[in-house]
Amino acid sequence: MDTPESCKSEELCTELLQSQTGVTSISTESVTQTLRLRVFGVLHWVVSLGLILATDFLLKKAFAAASIEFPSALFGMFCIFSVLIILDYAVPSAAVAFEKFFEPGIVFIQRWLPLFYVPYLVVLPLSLKEIPASSAIKICLIVVGGWLATLCVTGLTAIGVRKAVKTELLDAEPMEKPSPFSSIEVCAWTGVLLISFAASLVFPTALGTRARTYLPFLLASTVLGYMIGSRLPSSLKKVFHPIIFCAASAELAAIALGFLSKSGLDAVLGYYVTNSSSNPGAGDILMGFLGSVILSFAFAMFKQKKLVKRHAAEIFTSVIISTIFSLYSTAIVGRLLSLEQSLTVSILPRCITVALAVSIVSFFEGANASVTAAAVVVTGLVGANFVQSTLDKLRLRDPIARGIATASSCHGLGTAALSAKEPEALPFCAIAYALNGIFGSILCSIPAFRQSLLAVIG
């Protein structure tokens, strides 16, 4: 390093050089430490998420090999929750460490959760081709009317039980909100979209099959659509919910690719969801996370274990009544409107999160999983837009009732909409959101209960 001419003495120059060296050393150490922390953070995220996905995969394989119809992810959720409770009782510090270890993976799942619903909407045109317009109108009536009825029944039940037990509201544990998407992330996925689009047109079978070659482009169009939809102003989100914006983005991308490649929309959608583990499409990759969503419920319930224990009467009574009412009312109205049996069965779990709703309809022969997912998402969208104003008109002010009623009638999307403005209701939303799907899955796994629903449908 050259000695500055302004230095008039050797001592001054030495001090200056030492000062400069010291600053450089501290800066280098700081950068190195920052890089180490980031590398460690990435590895922590990869391991925690990888273990969750591996657990879901192994459980699916084990249940399939044993021919067990009960949802494997739901069993895994019970196991994780039980382990957390046992550790919390025996070694509380171990329970906290266990929860903290999986936190990066859980935060990732929560951040992207709505995205995992989208593939069912994207391929919906393939499923709706044979559904008459009159049947589609009946489904819409059942979904919208059923949402309102379930909201009222659940909210009033929660209020009634709350008045009977007279427990004071306990403060909930704070729940971390996922970070918003940055401009860098949007730009990165835009680059992937453009490059993969060109590659799909120029080298359609570069990776062996069109499904594999189209996968990066169709995945990027879906992810980018969700990112942009999430960054829209609140006024636009009321019209274009991030899920709708995301599904539309993926659909338009499929239309463009089908037109320019001359393969057609139906063929591209067939590559989007192949239902093949050896040759998956973009939709298969996204739907592969649905099991991990169910496993994450264990951590959400454990975090609010004190709340569950204190308000167990309100929560469990409301959720049980809500789930039974939702399933049977859908069956009854479907029969009254003369809706086809297969379609009525498909929309039975309209108020249950799609991750479990699809598992539930698998118990019934002839059910259409795409119709199920569409009914669930539409229910959520209706709730997300109208749940708060409807609860106000019903004069349901209690945060317990508002949270349970919202999650039980419009699951995750309604939960996200309500919690954004009423954080005090979020814990009850999270609990009811999980329990509603759990109880519905348990009921529909019982043959006698399934037969009773089919008897009502006729």
Side-chain angles (χ1 to χ4, degrees), residues 263-450:
S263 57
L265 175 62
D266 288 0
V268 174
L269 292 181
Y271 300 134
Y272 186 81
V273 174
T274 64
N275 293 317
S276 171
S277 57
S278 59
N279 188 34
D284 299 289
I285 298 296
L286 294 174
M287 291 188 297
F289 285 90
L290 289 175
S292 64
V293 171
I294 301 171
L295 295 179
S296 71
F297 290 166
F299 295 91
M301 289 196 300
F302 176 75
K303 194 175 185 66
Q304 304 298 340
K305 58 184 181 298
K306 293 181 181 178
L307 209 63
V308 174
K309 184 177 180 180
R310 185 175 182 85
H311 300 285
E314 302 100 295
I315 294 170
F316 285 95
T317 303
S318 301
V319 168
I320 291 172
I321 291 177
S322 169
T323 305
I324 294 175
F325 173 81
S326 175
L327 291 169
Y328 278 103
S329 64
T330 302
I332 292 170
V333 176
R335 181 168 185 171
L336 292 176
L337 294 179
S338 299
L339 183 65
E340 291 88 335
Q341 182 179 2
S342 61
L343 295 178
T344 303
V345 166
S346 299
I347 64 173
L348 280 177
R350 56 182 172 76
C351 291
I352 297 173
T353 180
V354 72
L356 284 172
V358 173
S359 296
I360 288 173
V361 295
S362 66
F363 292 130
F364 299 89
E365 293 183 7
N368 188 320
S370 293
V371 175
T372 301
V376 171
V377 173
V378 170
T379 299
L381 291 174
V382 172
N385 285 293
F386 300 107
V387 68
Q388 194 170 29
S389 58
T390 304
L391 287 170
D392 291 340
K393 290 180 180 179
L394 292 173
R395 297 180 180 180
L396 295 176
R397 309 295 182 190
D398 190 284
I400 296 179
R402 292 175 75 89
I404 297 174
T406 298
S408 297
S409 64
C410 47
H411 44 81
L413 296 181
T415 294
L418 183 71
S419 61
K421 296 181 180 179
E422 300 180 25
E424 67 277 6
L426 178 57
F428 300 100
C429 285
I431 295 167
Y433 176 51
L435 291 178
N436 191 45
I438 293 168
F439 190 65
S441 298
I442 292 174
L443 283 178
C444 290
S445 67
I446 301 172
F449 186 86
R450 291 201 303 272

Side-chain angles (χ1 to χ4, degrees), residues 9 43 56 79 108 125 158 213 223 290 299 373 378 406 451:
S9 67
L43 289 175
D56 176 47
C79 292
F108 173 86
T213 306
V223 173
L290 289 175
F299 295 91
V378 170
T406 298
Q451 291 301 321

Side-chain angles (χ1 to χ4, degrees), residues 131-197:
I131 297 179
S134 58
S135 298
I137 294 173
K138 292 175 183 178
I139 291 175
C140 290
L141 291 174
I142 294 173
V143 166
V144 176
W147 163 76
L148 181 59
T150 304
L151 182 75
C152 295
V153 169
T154 310
L156 294 175
T157 299
I159 288 294
V161 177
R162 186 123 163 75
K163 290 180 178 179
V165 296
K166 298 179 180 179
T167 53
E168 294 184 4
L169 182 63
L170 181 69
D171 291 337
E173 292 293 326
M175 300 189 68
E176 183 179 353
K177 289 187 177 182
S179 59
F181 298 108
S182 65
S183 299
I184 296 176
E185 290 176 298
V186 174
C187 291
W189 278 100
T190 301
V192 174
L193 177 74
L194 296 175
I195 294 172
S196 58
F197 183 59

